[in-house]
Amino acid sequence: MTTPVVSIAFHSGFGHTAVLAEAVRAGAAETGATVHLIEVDKITEEQWALLDASDAIVFGSPTYMGTASGAFHTFAEATSKRWFTHAWRDKLAAGFTNSGSKSGDKLHTLQFFGILAGQHGMHWVSLGLHPGWNTSEASENDLNRLGFFLGAGAQSNNDQGPEGVHKADTETAAHLGRRVAEQARVFAAGRAAL
């Protein structure tokens, strides 16, 4: 059985998204995957090579003004070198984001990630959870408490630092990491069986 390689390409402006990236890393690592955290605003040539060699890439960014951060957009534009050579074709992709508001137009950021993945010919892995916290007996501590399907959406209060990231959101991000790593293992086994 092959060990999947998962890379998390993320930007974190104030530390909240870094907490989520670490949760995605921990979830993927729980499955036995090899996992790399790559801060896209500090990316090196060696880290580009890690992305190229990964089975799955999970994109992460805060949502600022209704989309991914400027630093993440700069990274996305730089991936065009990979687009020209189809370097990321048939890799798995997923995404997560955070904003101060419950909605905060996070869906647009997740859609941006999905389109980026689609342009690269990647296969998108959704969150795979029903929404939580949507009945009178539910709780804000439910997984997927904000009800996103495309990826993991988190909310952190503007007046709190990284320590204020909601525990349910970090657990949801960890779930995403496990799901991506498990799907990468399935994909690798399928390729090996061909």
Side-chain angles (χ1 to χ4, degrees):
M1 183 161 55
T2 60
T3 300
V5 178
V6 177
S7 287
I8 302 158
F10 75 100
H11 173 248
S12 186
F14 298 98
H16 305 93
T17 310
V19 170
L20 297 171
E22 172 54 31
V24 173
R25 186 210 61 77
E30 281 176 23
T31 72
T34 299
V35 189
H36 305 288
L37 282 174
I38 298 171
E39 295 181 65
V40 299
D41 56 331
K42 301 172 185 172
I43 194 165
T44 65
E45 285 304 317
E46 292 79 16
Q47 290 172 322
W48 279 111
L50 287 174
L51 291 173
D52 294 344
S54 296
D55 298 299
I57 302 173
V58 184
F59 301 124
S61 170
T63 295
Y64 294 153
M65 303 307 291
T67 190
S69 66
F72 194 92
H73 275 270
T74 298
F75 162 76
E77 290 177 18
T79 69
S80 64
K81 292 177 183 176
R82 271 77 189 158
W83 178 83
F84 277 109
T85 62
H86 305 289
W88 293 357
R89 180 181 287 187
D90 292 331
K91 293 182 185 300
L92 299 183
F96 62 95
T97 187
N98 178 78
S99 71
S101 299
K102 299 289 191 282
S103 169
D105 294 320
K106 285 186 274 284
L107 177 59
H108 184 262
T109 300
L110 293 172
Q111 289 170 330
F112 170 72
F113 294 156
I115 291 169
L116 176 63
Q119 288 179 332
H120 280 284
M122 301 170 83
H123 302 282
W124 189 260
V125 178
S126 67
L127 187 57
L129 288 174
H130 288 294
W133 200 21
N134 65 355
T135 68
S136 61
E137 296 179 1
S139 161
E140 71 172 294
N141 297 310
D142 292 342
L143 285 181
N144 197 19
R145 70 186 182 111
L146 299 178
F148 287 89
F149 292 93
L150 195 57
Q155 180 270 331
S156 301
N157 294 329
N158 290 332
D159 60 350
Q160 291 183 299
E163 75 285 351
V165 177
H166 201 286
K167 187 174 188 315
D169 294 341
T170 59
E171 290 174 0
T172 301
H175 167 85
L176 179 66
R178 284 188 297 275
R179 181 166 162 81
V180 169
E182 289 163 359
Q183 292 304 306
R185 190 178 312 281
V186 168
F187 245 60
R191 279 196 189 116
L194 291 177

